[in-house]
Protein backbone atom coordinates (compact mmCIF):
# COMPACT_ATOMS: atom_id res chain seq x y z
CA UNK A 1 0.00 0.00 0.00
CA UNK A 2 1.24 3.48 -0.86
CA UNK A 3 1.23 5.95 2.02
CA UNK A 4 -0.59 9.22 1.56
CA UNK A 5 2.13 11.15 3.40
CA UNK A 6 5.20 12.28 1.50
CA UNK A 7 8.43 13.09 3.31
CA UNK A 8 11.36 14.98 1.84
CA UNK A 9 14.50 16.08 3.68
CA UNK A 10 12.88 19.43 4.58
CA UNK A 11 9.15 18.92 4.10
CA UNK A 12 6.12 16.88 5.09
CA UNK A 13 3.30 16.74 2.56
CA UNK A 14 -0.03 15.47 3.80
CA UNK A 15 -3.38 15.16 2.02
CA UNK A 16 -5.37 18.36 2.39
CA UNK A 17 -8.16 18.02 4.93
CA UNK A 18 -10.55 19.91 7.14
CA UNK A 19 -7.95 20.29 9.88
CA UNK A 20 -6.08 22.56 7.44
CA UNK A 21 -9.01 24.86 6.63
CA UNK A 22 -7.65 27.93 8.49
CA UNK A 23 -4.19 27.74 6.90
CA UNK A 24 -5.56 27.00 3.42
CA UNK A 25 -8.15 29.79 3.68
CA UNK A 26 -5.48 32.31 4.66
CA UNK A 27 -3.32 31.23 1.70
CA UNK A 28 -6.07 31.12 -0.94
CA UNK A 29 -7.59 34.48 0.07
CA UNK A 30 -4.21 36.26 -0.10
CA UNK A 31 -3.52 38.03 -3.42
CA UNK A 32 0.26 37.75 -3.10
CA UNK A 33 0.13 34.01 -2.48
CA UNK A 34 -2.71 32.98 -4.79
CA UNK A 35 -2.99 35.69 -7.43
CA UNK A 36 -1.28 33.60 -10.14
CA UNK A 37 -3.37 30.47 -9.60
CA UNK A 38 -6.07 29.30 -11.99
CA UNK A 39 -9.25 31.00 -10.80
CA UNK A 40 -7.28 33.58 -8.80
CA UNK A 41 -7.86 34.64 -5.20
CA UNK A 42 -10.75 32.85 -3.48
CA UNK A 43 -13.41 33.86 -0.98
CA UNK A 44 -13.64 31.93 2.29
CA UNK A 45 -16.80 30.22 1.01
CA UNK A 46 -15.04 29.14 -2.21
CA UNK A 47 -12.14 27.73 -0.16
CA UNK A 48 -14.58 25.64 1.90
CA UNK A 49 -16.27 24.35 -1.26
CA UNK A 50 -12.89 23.46 -2.77
CA UNK A 51 -11.88 21.71 0.45
CA UNK A 52 -14.88 19.41 0.06
CA UNK A 53 -14.06 18.86 -3.62
CA UNK A 54 -10.43 18.09 -2.75
CA UNK A 55 -11.52 15.47 -0.23
CA UNK A 56 -13.74 13.76 -2.81
CA UNK A 57 -10.98 14.03 -5.42
CA UNK A 58 -8.62 12.02 -3.19
CA UNK A 59 -11.18 9.24 -2.96
CA UNK A 60 -11.70 9.11 -6.73
CA UNK A 61 -8.15 9.52 -8.02
CA UNK A 62 -5.86 8.19 -5.25
CA UNK A 63 -3.96 11.50 -5.31
CA UNK A 64 -4.85 15.15 -4.89
CA UNK A 65 -3.81 18.33 -3.12
CA UNK A 66 -1.34 18.28 -0.24
CA UNK A 67 -0.50 20.79 2.45
CA UNK A 68 3.20 21.54 2.67
CA UNK A 69 4.81 21.94 6.07
CA UNK A 70 8.36 22.13 7.27
CA UNK A 71 9.76 18.78 8.36
CA UNK A 72 10.79 19.63 11.90
CA UNK A 73 11.40 16.72 14.24
CA UNK A 74 10.73 18.74 17.38
CA UNK A 75 8.43 21.70 17.67
CA UNK A 76 5.77 23.20 15.43
CA UNK A 77 6.03 22.62 11.68
CA UNK A 78 5.12 25.82 9.84
CA UNK A 79 2.53 25.73 7.07
CA UNK A 80 4.29 26.79 3.86
CA UNK A 81 1.55 26.30 1.27
CA UNK A 82 -0.06 23.69 -0.93
CA UNK A 83 0.85 21.52 -3.88
CA UNK A 84 -0.71 18.58 -5.61
CA UNK A 85 -2.40 17.07 -8.60
CA UNK A 86 -5.83 18.09 -9.83
CA UNK A 87 -7.69 17.57 -13.09
CA UNK A 88 -7.73 20.82 -15.06
CA UNK A 89 -11.20 22.14 -15.87
CA UNK A 90 -10.10 22.90 -19.45
CA UNK A 91 -9.56 19.22 -20.27
CA UNK A 92 -5.78 19.37 -20.50
CA UNK A 93 -5.45 16.55 -17.97
CA UNK A 94 -4.03 15.91 -14.53
CA UNK A 95 -2.10 19.00 -13.54
CA UNK A 96 0.56 19.78 -11.00
CA UNK A 97 -0.25 22.87 -8.95
CA UNK A 98 1.63 24.67 -6.18
CA UNK A 99 1.35 27.86 -4.18
CA UNK A 100 3.51 28.84 -1.24
CA UNK A 101 3.49 31.87 1.00
CA UNK A 102 5.67 34.65 -0.44
CA UNK A 103 8.00 34.48 2.59
CA UNK A 104 8.63 30.78 1.83
CA UNK A 105 9.50 31.38 -1.82
CA UNK A 106 13.04 31.47 -3.15
CA UNK A 107 14.27 28.74 -0.77
CA UNK A 108 13.70 25.70 -2.98
CA UNK A 109 10.60 24.55 -1.08
CA UNK A 110 8.31 24.75 -4.14
CA UNK A 111 10.73 22.74 -6.24
CA UNK A 112 11.17 20.12 -3.52
CA UNK A 113 7.42 19.78 -2.90
CA UNK A 114 6.44 19.82 -6.59
CA UNK A 115 9.06 17.20 -7.48
CA UNK A 116 7.90 14.95 -4.62
CA UNK A 117 4.26 15.16 -5.78
CA UNK A 118 5.18 14.64 -9.44
CA UNK A 119 7.20 11.55 -8.52
CA UNK A 120 4.34 10.25 -6.37
CA UNK A 121 1.79 10.82 -9.15
CA UNK A 122 3.89 8.79 -11.57
CA UNK A 123 4.38 6.06 -8.93
CA UNK A 124 0.60 5.87 -8.56
CA UNK A 125 0.16 5.21 -12.27
CA UNK A 126 -0.51 8.69 -13.64
CA UNK A 127 1.62 8.54 -16.79
CA UNK A 128 1.06 12.10 -17.99
CA UNK A 129 1.05 15.19 -15.79
CA UNK A 130 0.79 18.75 -17.09
CA UNK A 131 1.40 22.12 -15.48
CA UNK A 132 0.50 25.58 -16.74
CA UNK A 133 2.13 28.91 -15.89
CA UNK A 134 1.76 32.42 -17.23
CA UNK A 135 4.64 33.36 -19.49
CA UNK A 136 5.70 36.12 -17.08
CA UNK A 137 5.58 33.86 -13.99
CA UNK A 138 9.30 33.13 -14.13
CA UNK A 139 9.59 31.60 -10.61
CA UNK A 140 6.93 28.95 -11.39
CA UNK A 141 8.44 28.26 -14.79
CA UNK A 142 11.84 27.73 -13.16
CA UNK A 143 10.32 25.24 -10.75
CA UNK A 144 8.60 23.32 -13.56
CA UNK A 145 11.72 23.17 -15.71
CA UNK A 146 13.85 22.36 -12.68
CA UNK A 147 11.84 19.23 -11.90
CA UNK A 148 12.20 17.94 -15.45
CA UNK A 149 8.94 19.07 -17.02
CA UNK A 150 9.22 20.24 -20.64
CA UNK A 151 7.23 22.78 -22.65
CA UNK A 152 4.56 21.09 -24.75
CA UNK A 153 2.19 23.90 -25.75
CA UNK A 154 1.52 27.62 -25.65
CA UNK A 155 -1.98 29.09 -25.53
CA UNK A 156 -3.78 32.26 -24.51
CA UNK A 157 -6.18 32.62 -21.60
CA UNK A 158 -7.78 36.02 -20.95
CA UNK A 159 -5.10 37.73 -23.06
CA UNK A 160 -2.30 36.06 -21.06
CA UNK A 161 0.23 33.86 -22.81
CA UNK A 162 0.25 30.53 -21.00
CA UNK A 163 3.01 27.94 -21.16
CA UNK A 164 2.01 24.28 -20.70
CA UNK A 165 4.60 21.85 -19.41
CA UNK A 166 4.37 18.05 -19.40
CA UNK A 167 5.98 15.16 -17.59
CA UNK A 168 5.49 11.67 -18.94
CA UNK A 169 6.44 8.42 -17.31
CA UNK A 170 7.87 5.92 -19.71
CA UNK A 171 6.40 2.50 -19.11
CA UNK A 172 8.10 -0.59 -20.46
Amino acid sequence: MISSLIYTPRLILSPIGWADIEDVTALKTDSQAFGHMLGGVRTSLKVAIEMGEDTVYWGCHRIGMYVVRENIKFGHSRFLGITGIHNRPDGRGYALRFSLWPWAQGRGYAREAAYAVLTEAHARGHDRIVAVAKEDNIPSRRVLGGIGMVVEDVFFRHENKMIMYVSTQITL
Side-chain angles (χ1 to χ4, degrees), residues 16 28 49-59 64-65 86:
I16 201 166
K28 287 185 170 187
I49 291 167
E50 289 178 348
M51 183 72 70
E53 292 169 350
D54 287 340
T55 303
V56 171
Y57 194 89
W58 265 99
M65 296 303 293
H86 222 284

Side-chain angles (χ1 to χ4, degrees), residues 25-102:
T25 298
L27 181 79
K28 287 185 170 187
T29 59
D30 184 275
S31 63
Q32 292 296 311
F34 226 70
H36 283 289
M37 296 300 285
L38 181 63
V41 176
R42 311 305 203 253
T43 64
S44 296
L45 176 59
K46 180 68 174 163
V47 174
I49 291 167
E50 289 178 348
M51 183 72 70
E53 292 169 350
D54 287 340
T55 303
V56 171
Y57 194 89
W58 265 99
C60 294
H61 300 279
R62 296 182 36 232
I63 199 157
M65 296 303 293
Y66 292 85
V67 293
V68 180
R69 296 187 188 281
E70 289 177 307
N71 186 356
I72 298 175
K73 295 181 188 214
F74 304 103
H76 178 69
S77 295
R78 286 189 299 177
F79 173 80
L80 302 176
I82 59 174
T83 188
I85 302 293
H86 222 284
N87 213 356
R88 285 188 56 87
D90 59 13
R92 287 185 164 82
Y94 290 104
L96 175 66
R97 303 181 76 195
F98 55 90
S99 179
L100 274 61
W101 281 112

Side-chain angles (χ1 to χ4, degrees), residues 108-127:
Y109 291 136
R111 183 183 186 282
E112 190 173 331
Y115 182 74
V117 169
L118 182 62
T119 301
E120 186 72 10
H122 285 316
R124 291 177 183 231
H126 298 281
D127 295 335

